[in-house]
Amino acid sequence: MKLCMIGTGYVGLVSGVCFSDLGNEVICVDKDQDKINNLKQGIIPIYEPGLEELVLKNYKNKRLKFSTNLSNSIKKSDIVFICVGTPTKKNSTGADLSQIFSVAKEISKSINKFKIIITKSTVPVTTGDEIEKILSKKVNKNKFSVASNPEFLREGEAIRDFIYPDRVVIGSNDKKSATKLRNLYSPLISKGAKFISTNRRAAELIKYASNAFLATKITFINEIANLCEKAQIDVEDISIGIGLDKRIGSRFLRAGPAYGGSCFPKDTKAIVNTADKFKINLSVIKSVINSNSLRSKLLLKKVNEILNKKIRNKNICFLGVTFKANTDDMRDSSSLEMIPFLSKKGAQIKYYDPTGFKKEFSNLKNVNFANSIGEAVKGSDLVILHTEWNDFKSINFKKLHSSKNLKIYDMRNIYSPLKIKSQGFKYFGIGR
Ligand code: UGA
């Protein structure tokens, strides 16, 4: 099939490349000329394991193309995916849909034959209706169909999540288009992915409800972890103990810092905003947002206790600063709250991240990037394991640090407390 992906951010680029790898002809369009030039040379704008190889392979075999010419790319395609950003609006909690609507206007000028227009971006319920209205102003209704096909890719695991999805959701009010889209996904469905066909609004809501539910699950275990810490219980036992109940499930029950990234914080706010418009109070999700927003403060309070209330001049090392492992994404990472706070309190901070230096900390006092784990850990009073990169899972602290006074705050519960303690270091984890 001939596909056009509008927007080469996370969603558009990963989905476009994967669709081309499944044998489709795909044009990825972006208005950013530099980005497109770079992609043509195999320079990838985001860090995502496996993506570069797939881009090079499919660009070489010409199933994957890159362009800045939106109109031509739409004209050449049968299916057009809208994959532009839907960030939180300034001074509001709702999603900013300006990019979606401006793309819809562009599409309406370039419909030369029947096309299915799909939102892959995360968009609030009724956005498909709005896009349909915009298109109808210029084009006859029998020339297009608007569908919703939410994506469930995780950064760092995006290619695997695309190829082996738990489910493919298609929301369409038109049966013919739903069948066409099912065919597009048939290579994945035949490998075991479940296919769900719903009306358009339901598909839009499935995406938000999924992210809000996962955020709730994480927040739930984080609060249980707070209780565990006081009651001398290891939260890891609780995660296993409840996760084995198939009705609960074991995934997304890892206690840690506040959830971050470009999706959960934004989407939890946006679903509450949508519900408010329908005069529905999503009190559970509101409470999740509130709990998560207080989490970094709670963890910083613990840092203060670990350092016996003397943060000034203490050498603190952060291992990992991105919002999670296997990504270079800093958006809504809890380190963005923790590091500036500790710097303000007079700590000397070194951080190491496998994805390198972060401009977000460049103007902070006494915050420096270290080139290796060893350099970061050396001379520290406290090591904070902030992200769960594999690189951090078997550090020989004894080799890197001579003093027994080293304290380790393992915010991802990577290490066995007993093992670390047996090496003579002081260990603190989350909910244990
Ligand atoms: C999330 C969803 O998992 C994807 O299904 C969805 O497609 C994506 O948002 C999106 O809407 O585009 P992502 O933001 O990449 O994916 O990251 P996650 O792996 O879900 O992690 C989000 C946050 O939750 C991170 O801060 C992570 O550290 C935290 N987390 C996750 C935990 O603290 N505990 C867990 O058990 C799992």
Side-chain angles (χ1 to χ4, degrees):
M1 288 186 209
K2 292 187 175 170
L3 316 181
C4 170
M5 316 298 295
I6 305 177
T8 57
Y10 227 94
V11 179
L13 185 58
V14 172
S15 313
V17 173
C18 290
F19 275 134
S20 71
D21 205 53
L22 292 177
N24 301 286
E25 283 178 45
V26 181
I27 314 177
C28 288
V29 194
D30 204 292
K31 58 185 177 190
D32 184 337
Q33 184 75 59
D34 287 345
K35 211 178 190 187
I36 292 297
N37 290 345
N38 282 340
L39 281 165
K40 284 179 178 171
Q41 293 172 51
I43 302 167
I44 314 296
I46 48 173
Y47 176 92
E48 182 62 39
L51 185 59
E52 187 178 331
E53 292 88 319
L54 272 194
V55 169
L56 292 175
K57 176 184 154 198
N58 288 288
Y59 186 65
K60 227 179 186 177
N61 67 30
K62 297 197 165 51
R63 280 204 299 260
L64 179 65
K65 293 196 171 116
F66 297 105
S67 172
T68 49
N69 191 329
L70 184 56
S71 175
N72 267 351
S73 307
I74 293 168
K75 281 179 185 152
K76 284 182 194 159
S77 308
D78 306 309
I79 301 177
V80 177
F81 284 93
I82 304 178
C83 310
V84 294
T86 54
T88 305
K89 260 190 214 156
K90 269 191 190 128
N91 307 321
S92 160
T93 50
D96 176 356
L97 299 177
S98 55
Q99 293 186 62
I100 298 272
F101 296 144
S102 107
V103 161
K105 276 182 200 146
E106 290 297 322
I107 296 174
S108 73
K109 293 179 207 157
S110 307
I111 296 191
N112 51 346
K113 57 179 177 182
F114 181 82
K115 292 185 198 299
I116 306 177
I117 317 296
I118 304 166
T119 47
K120 224 181 200 328
S121 309
T122 302
V123 292
V125 174
T126 69
T127 304
D129 306 4
E130 297 297 320
I131 295 173
E132 201 170 86
K133 271 188 214 155
I134 293 172
L135 296 176
S136 309
K137 281 187 188 157
K138 282 231 177 278
V139 193
N140 194 305
K141 274 198 170 163
N142 60 15
K143 276 274 177 74
F144 68 89
S145 170
V146 178
S148 161
N149 169 216
E151 59 79 23
F152 304 102
L153 312 176
R154 285 165 303 164
E155 291 188 16
E157 316 275 346
I159 304 218
R160 200 178 52 201
D161 283 349
F162 185 94
I163 300 171
Y164 302 106
D166 290 342
R167 77 297 204 192
V168 171
V169 177
I170 298 292
S172 170
N173 300 342
D174 148 33
K175 268 197 177 145
K176 245 179 160 176
S177 297
T179 308
K180 241 187 183 167
L181 293 174
R182 190 187 197 284
N183 291 341
L184 175 66
Y185 279 102
S186 61
L188 307 184
I189 296 164
S190 64
K191 271 196 262 163
K194 299 246 170 20
F195 177 81
I196 306 155
S197 178
T198 64
N199 73 19
R200 195 170 55 213
R201 286 185 178 190
E204 290 168 341
L205 187 55
I206 284 172
K207 170 66 195 233
Y208 278 103
S210 298
N211 275 2
F213 189 82
L214 291 170
T216 304
K217 217 174 163 186
I218 296 166
T219 306
F220 175 85
I221 201 69
N222 282 343
E223 290 201 350
I224 294 291
N226 298 342
L227 171 61
C228 287
E229 249 165 67
K230 295 281 179 215
Q232 278 105 50
I233 296 166
D234 190 335
V235 71
E236 298 296 311
D237 289 338
I238 307 302
S239 295
I240 296 168
I242 64 175
L244 284 171
D245 184 328
K246 286 201 177 79
R247 292 169 301 176
I248 296 172
S250 59
R251 296 175 71 191
F252 278 65
L253 280 180
R254 278 177 290 114
Y259 63 74
S262 64
C263 307
F264 288 173
K266 158 179 89 73
D267 295 346
T268 42
K269 281 186 230 154
I271 192 176
V272 167
N273 183 281
T274 300
D276 284 347
K277 285 183 187 152
F278 286 92
K279 300 204 169 17
I280 292 298
N281 179 19
L282 295 183
S283 64
V284 172
I285 304 175
K286 280 182 187 167
S287 155
V288 165
I289 295 169
N290 185 44
S291 173
N292 195 61
S293 73
L294 298 174
R295 185 137 188 92
S296 293
K297 282 180 196 73
L298 204 81
L299 267 52
L300 282 166
K301 206 170 143 206
K302 178 83 184 251
V303 169
N304 192 35
E305 280 164 23
I306 292 173
L307 292 172
N308 300 322
K309 302 193 173 138
K310 286 178 199 134
I311 292 177
R312 180 159 300 281
N313 293 327
K314 283 286 176 338
N315 294 306
I316 302 180
C317 152
F318 270 76
L319 292 180
V321 288
T322 53
F323 82 96
K324 64 169 187 177
N326 299 320
T327 178
D328 60 354
D329 201 337
M330 289 294 292
R331 284 176 287 180
D332 267 305
S333 172
S334 54
S335 71
L336 292 173
E337 190 172 337
M338 291 185 192
I339 291 183
F341 176 88
L342 294 169
S343 147
K344 227 176 169 180
K345 290 274 173 202
Q348 310 276 328
I349 295 168
K350 275 193 281 180
Y351 71 92
Y352 169 75
D353 192 282
T355 59
F357 169 84
K358 302 293 167 203
K359 62 177 183 335
E360 287 80 355
F361 304 129
S362 55
N363 291 329
L364 296 181
K365 214 173 154 199
N366 295 325
V367 178
N368 292 300
F369 175 68
N371 279 311
S372 65
I373 297 174
E375 194 190 315
V377 171
K378 205 173 152 192
S380 297
D381 298 301
L382 171 66
V383 169
I384 295 180
L385 283 150
H386 177 265
T387 31
E388 69 283 25
W389 285 87
N390 282 340
D391 313 41
F392 304 150
K393 288 186 179 159
S394 46
I395 299 174
N396 187 340
F397 288 103
K398 249 181 157 173
K399 229 175 160 181
L400 300 180
H401 205 285
S402 49
S403 164
K404 291 264 170 200
N405 293 329
L406 173 65
K407 293 170 173 172
I408 297 171
Y409 189 8
D410 179 1
M411 290 188 180
R412 299 287 178 169
N413 291 348
I414 296 173
Y415 286 90
S416 140
L418 285 179
K419 238 185 183 168
I420 296 280
K421 280 178 195 161
S422 73
Q423 290 172 12
F425 301 121
K426 286 219 167 71
Y427 177 91
F428 304 86
I430 298 281
R432 36 170 46 178

